[in-house]
Amino acid sequence: MAVQKNTSAIKSQPKHLLGIQNLSIQEAKKILEEAKAFISLNRSPSKKLDTLRGKTQINLFFEPSTRTQSSFDLAGKRLGADVMTMNVGNSALKKGETLIDTAMTLNAMHPDIIVIRHQDSGAPNLLSQKVNCAVVNAGDGRREHPTQALLDALTIINRKKTIEGLKIAICGDILHSRVARSNIYLMNMLGAEVNVIGPKTLMPKSIERLGVKSFTDMKKGLDKCDIVMMLRLQNERMQGSFLPSKREYYEFFGLTPEKLKFASKDALIMHPGPMNRGVEIDTKLADDINVSLVKEQVELGVAVRMACLKIYCK
């Protein structure tokens, strides 16, 4: 006698957004196309949809992040999800609970998607193995920050129409930057030429293996670049002496109007924030709406995160 399988009880495995390195070019382009549709929605008087009505989104942030956390929070609510943001500072995690214990606890609540930001590289990957829902990486250690790279790509496309054929400079603390790593993966994937610029002490060894050209001279690195992406100095990840002084760093690696002249005439400036004005970038440049895309990055970040939640929250 044949035994019938209960196919209704079999659930498909959830898909996760753990890093740009895990994405195909088709998957990356799908996210960007979805995000484009949300730009006009977010600028309209009525911003609320019921796309994720009945779905539960948990934001699990182990590191402070005003932009990313508020962006994911707003994205989920605009799609109609029930959004819970965990205050890790007051949770059992501060009392010795492990990430695996937390995963088991959250899994018992039957969430549909968990957005995690963690100081340890690989934490989102570990979480994804312990829960029955989708996991989105909102930044892990030095490894990756996929949604930041995706929103950077959307911002560039929104202004330049394409990324293919552009020359992009990523400048500053390359060593500690997950934003730099995710952007290198994505910009290369989309057909850009990528330069990385920074002092030797903040440049990873063998960075050229990722398909970039490295420079310790900012003027040479900026030559004919279409996009200049500045990075935050991540002092919290620096153990030991990486810089002689912030003043000297600004002199050699801070973006000024004089240094920007070495880039293309219509070059645009980006920064993932928060900015250290007068250290990484000149204040006037940061606020110059003719060249700075910083505010657009924040705005389009919501659209990209809405797209990611819609695609991965099944």
Side-chain angles (χ1 to χ4, degrees), residues 5 44 87 108-109 117 188 190 229 250 270 273 285:
K5 292 183 179 179
S44 68
N87 186 346
M109 298 177 188
R117 186 183 185 96
N188 275 334
L190 297 176
M229 193 179 294
Y250 181 66
M270 306 179 77
L285 277 182

Side-chain angles (χ1 to χ4, degrees), residues 11 71 74 146 163 168 208 238 248 254 270 277 289 295:
K11 292 183 68 176
S71 185
L74 195 58
I163 288 176
I168 298 173
E208 291 85 0
M238 297 183 191
E248 189 172 333
M270 306 179 77
R277 294 168 181 262
I289 59 173
K295 289 182 180 178

Side-chain angles (χ1 to χ4, degrees), residues 2 116 262 280:
I116 178 174
F262 289 87
E280 300 146 3

